[in-house]
Amino acid sequence: MTVVDAHGDFDTFYLQEHPQQVKRATLLLGSDELANDLVHDAFIRVYQRWGQLENPGGYLSRSVLNACRDEGRSRTVRLRVLGRLAEPAATTEPNDHLVDALMALPFNQRAAIVLRFYARMTVPEIAEHLGVPTGSIGPWIGRGLTKLRKALA
Amino acid sequence: MNNLEQQLEERLHQIADGADIHPDLAGVKNGQSRTLANSSADQGRRPSRTAFVAAVAAVVLGAVVVGTVLQKPGTDITSDAAADSPLDDASSTTVPPSDESATALADSLPTFYLRGDDISPLTVSINRWPDTDVSQSAWELKSSYELNAIDPSDDQREGYGLGMFAVPTVEGVADLDDRLAELGSNGTDVESVSVADWDGWRFEADNVFVLFETDKHLVTLSFWPDTDDETMDHVLAAVGDDLAGFQQMATDDRLTSDGSIKPWVLAAVEDPGPELLSLFPPPNATPSDDDSSEVVPDGSIPEGLLTESDLADGTFTYTFARFVDDEPEKLDPDDITDETGCRLLGELIGPLSTFPSQRAVFTGTDGWEFAHGVWDLEAETNAQILDRFRRVGPECAGWDDLSTDEVPAFGQGNFILAAYLAGDQLFYIELENGSTQTGPERLTEILAAAGNR
């Protein structure tokens, strides 16, 4: 059944948003498999609230970003707890110093950089997507780029 | 755009364009989670229980039980016997200025620290890093709030959080930025004052978490819940640079209908932070003979779960957490008063009513309360504590759902002793390093026993 409301039908929304969300999540997670999972689950949450959300796109983006953030956190916790016993998450990416350095960044820095240099968002748009004050974005990007330069030097 | 940025942009697009995309609209509409469905893939990311136990056994030297409570105000999640728990009243958790020693110490201290009337409401946690000296600055900071002095004798433990306390009734944020700036530039033993890079720390319109480290401590300030954007910008400007290492914090990812994040947070500080984020037991707390938790019928907690010897030494810190997995709207009072959840929380929260000054409760704008407490083993007999666990155990279906990776960690070195699901709420109890009594073998037994439930 197609759900339609003031935002349009969900199917169209899904088809429009899904590829981009997966790509963006892939950059944040370093794994397209995981990205597909998390984006899928975020869409479920949107679908369940479809018609109630004031801004489905914003909700979806925030939900995906939060899922990426929490996945990274959980992975870190798990790896710490298990130490060497745990296998790191599989990544689909080949060895790439730039990607490695990017993935080593704290989430907020990585997200800000991805949204800036991949999604080409403005600073206010990044702030809105991440749900943080605008003033936070510049330092995150700046610190992230600094770390990338050091890592690649 | 410089070379790095150009290179970055090109590479990001290459990666993104190379991603395998698997649309599954039908699965979305059926509500079928890929993360649950793809169990095989998931296994690759998550440790097995065996691995978990082995890892725990390898690293744990002791155990302290840690807990945190999330509670929605106005709902009776506690037992009848615990209904009078001050958890239901945030104001009751105000730590009164008291104690001549605290006053004397405060008088002798620099005055540039934040004061209790700067921020509303404010919680401060002071955590000593492992293997560091006595935390004089923590005393100073704490005393500057004219709260409780810390008994120096209690400060001999290493690797423990020194304190976390709430100032739930103070008002005003006018001097916040100045005070933080002063703290950064003038603190006698403050080497740096900085905001964490906020990775994992929800920096939202409703609260701010400011971390700053001294040469010996991590200090966490949590501002709830009325800090506005302008003030937060001031805070950021005041506290300055990045603070390496504090990149993890267990948070809730719940969203409101417009996509904003609910402003309550479960706190954790991780490597290289302190081993524990906890309340520091006030020196004057006295045990009560009134065991008000008489709710739960007899039952059998798994044999071998906890014994007196496991808890025989050190501080018993409890933390319970309740989560509603990204479905906060489902947590109506009927959910919260779920009999099982009620029983567990009532049993373990109830005793805290006898130690009101040991607890901090602060309320988020969305009506959630977060409480965190510490229980000194010496305050009650081990038998009493164990009895509580034994009584709550049998009624808690799902204690077998032990898995650290499923539960946000509260701090470094914490391990899940037991967890159970009541509806869509998750409760768990953590074991934390610290006791000298529980060795790796014993902890393995505990976990195995709990896991078999």
Side-chain angles (χ1 to χ4, degrees):
Chain A
M1 183 182 72
T2 299
V3 180
V4 181
D5 80 331
H7 301 299
D9 72 272
F10 181 81
D11 294 15
T12 301
F13 173 79
Y14 182 89
L15 294 175
Q16 288 176 341
E17 292 284 342
H18 182 265
Q20 193 62 26
Q21 293 290 346
V22 172
K23 289 180 178 180
R24 190 184 301 169
T26 298
L27 294 174
L28 295 173
L29 296 165
S31 165
D32 52 6
E33 177 189 2
L34 198 51
N36 275 284
D37 290 354
L38 298 185
V39 169
H40 178 89
D41 289 352
F43 267 108
I44 291 176
R45 292 191 284 274
V46 171
Y47 183 73
Q48 291 170 343
R49 296 165 175 80
W50 192 253
Q52 305 169 16
L53 299 177
E54 299 172 10
N55 178 9
Y59 185 98
L60 175 68
S61 292
R62 190 78 72 86
S63 183
V64 171
L65 287 170
N66 283 338
C68 293
R69 185 201 315 261
D70 291 344
E71 172 59 29
R73 179 183 306 119
S74 299
R75 185 161 56 198
T76 301
V77 171
R78 291 197 294 272
L79 291 177
R80 178 181 301 107
V81 170
L82 290 176
R84 297 179 181 85
L85 294 176
E87 294 294 332
T91 175
T92 61
E93 304 307 327
N95 290 333
D96 184 319
H97 292 315
L98 182 59
V99 174
D100 291 344
L102 180 67
M103 295 308 299
L105 293 178
F107 178 84
N108 282 336
Q109 294 175 21
R110 184 165 72 250
I113 285 176
V114 167
L115 295 178
R116 174 68 184 88
F117 294 104
Y118 171 70
R120 293 170 179 163
M121 291 182 181
T122 64
V123 168
E125 288 171 340
I126 296 171
E128 182 180 356
H129 274 73
L130 293 177
V132 301
T134 303
S136 300
I137 303 303
W140 286 348
I141 293 176
R143 289 201 292 269
L145 290 176
T146 298
K147 291 177 182 176
L148 291 180
R149 285 193 186 92
K150 289 181 179 177
L152 298 175
Chain B
M1 182 176 290
N2 61 37
N3 186 48
L4 172 65
E5 294 172 356
Q6 185 173 1
Q7 180 185 0
L8 182 62
E9 182 173 304
E10 292 172 355
R11 186 70 186 105
L12 290 177
H13 278 89
Q14 288 174 1
I15 296 169
D17 291 341
D20 288 331
I21 299 175
H22 305 290
D24 182 12
L25 180 57
V28 168
K29 291 185 174 181
N30 291 332
Q32 186 176 8
S33 169
R34 281 176 58 93
T35 51
L36 294 177
N38 294 348
S39 58
S40 59
D42 204 39
Q43 287 300 316
R45 297 195 298 270
R46 295 182 175 178
S48 67
R49 177 171 298 161
T50 301
F52 162 65
V53 171
V56 169
V59 299
V60 171
L61 297 176
V64 172
V65 182
V66 179
T68 294
V69 180
L70 288 172
Q71 175 185 357
K72 193 169 188 176
T75 55
D76 181 15
I77 67 169
T78 63
S79 66
D80 291 340
D84 295 333
S85 165
L87 275 173
D88 293 327
D89 179 5
S91 63
S92 68
T93 64
T94 303
V95 183
S98 62
D99 187 23
E100 291 182 1
S101 61
T103 303
L105 185 56
D107 289 342
S108 67
L109 294 172
T111 58
F112 52 76
Y113 288 124
L114 287 170
R115 302 189 68 85
D117 58 357
D118 289 332
I119 307 154
S120 171
L122 166 68
T123 61
V124 178
S125 60
I126 305 169
N127 292 273
R128 186 175 62 182
W129 292 35
D131 304 322
T132 56
D133 200 357
V134 172
S135 55
Q136 181 64 34
S137 68
W139 301 353
E140 293 172 357
L141 183 62
K142 197 163 188 172
S143 297
S144 73
Y145 279 88
E146 298 178 351
L147 295 174
N148 285 338
I150 299 175
D151 184 348
S153 65
D154 283 331
D155 196 31
Q156 302 308 309
R157 297 170 301 169
E158 292 191 354
Y160 281 86
L162 279 179
M164 178 176 177
F165 51 91
V167 188
T169 60
V170 295
E171 296 179 355
V173 293
D175 295 329
L176 174 60
D177 52 343
D178 291 340
R179 296 299 178 91
L180 286 171
E182 278 188 310
L183 183 60
S185 59
N186 300 330
T188 54
D189 60 355
V190 174
E191 291 184 340
S192 64
V193 174
S194 56
V195 174
D197 60 9
W198 305 108
D199 180 36
W201 294 77
R202 292 292 159 78
F203 183 39
E204 306 161 25
D206 299 290
N207 61 62
V208 171
F209 291 83
V210 177
L211 305 182
F212 50 96
E213 67 178 323
T214 72
D215 55 343
K216 301 168 186 173
H217 313 104
L218 165 71
V219 181
T220 307
L221 304 180
S222 305
F223 298 85
W224 295 76
D226 299 323
T227 308
D228 57 31
D229 286 344
E230 184 178 3
T231 301
M232 287 195 294
D233 287 339
H234 288 172
V235 172
L236 285 174
V239 296
D241 295 334
D242 194 4
L243 175 64
F246 301 97
Q247 300 179 0
Q248 293 292 328
M249 183 173 182
T251 61
D252 187 289
D253 66 347
R254 270 151 240 171
L255 303 177
T256 62
S257 61
D258 65 355
S260 61
I261 304 171
K262 296 253 180 183
W264 54 275
V265 177
L266 304 178
V269 180
E270 296 186 348
D271 188 31
E275 302 242 339
L276 173 64
L277 183 69
S278 71
L279 276 172
F280 193 80
N284 297 326
T286 55
S288 168
D289 294 330
D290 176 23
D291 180 1
S292 60
S293 58
E294 50 191 29
V295 188
V296 180
D298 180 49
S300 58
I301 208 165
E303 285 295 324
L305 182 55
L306 277 175
T307 67
E308 288 194 42
S309 62
D310 296 318
L311 303 174
D313 185 32
T315 297
F316 172 69
T317 307
Y318 81 95
T319 301
F320 282 150
R322 184 184 59 200
F323 301 98
V324 183
D325 189 15
D326 72 34
E327 292 287 349
E329 66 275 16
K330 286 188 176 180
L331 195 63
D332 58 34
D334 289 339
D335 294 320
I336 298 170
T337 55
D338 171 86
E339 184 180 2
T340 303
C342 175
R343 179 165 294 137
L344 176 66
L345 291 178
E347 270 298 295
L348 289 137
I349 295 172
L352 283 179
S353 63
T354 62
F355 302 98
S357 63
Q358 289 185 239
R359 303 184 309 121
V361 176
F362 35 97
T363 305
T365 53
D366 60 346
W368 283 87
E369 290 184 355
F370 169 71
H372 197 112
V374 168
W375 219 347
D376 191 332
L377 263 185
E378 295 179 0
E380 292 194 29
T381 68
N382 294 338
Q384 285 177 301
I385 295 170
L386 291 170
D387 187 51
R388 298 188 196 287
F389 280 95
R390 291 194 174 98
R391 282 183 288 169
V392 299
E395 298 299 324
C396 299
W399 282 79
D400 57 338
D401 192 13
L402 273 177
S403 172
T404 52
D405 53 309
E406 300 292 343
V407 182
F410 269 47
Q412 185 179 15
N414 292 357
F415 304 98
I416 307 306
L417 168 66
Y420 79 98
L421 291 169
D424 53 2
Q425 303 172 53
L426 169 66
F427 300 82
Y428 66 86
I429 303 171
E430 286 183 337
L431 285 169
E432 177 143 358
N433 292 357
S435 169
T436 59
Q437 299 298 313
T438 305
E441 292 183 1
R442 177 65 193 129
L443 186 57
T444 301
E445 293 173 3
I446 292 171
L447 292 168
N452 289 332
R453 288 288 296 179

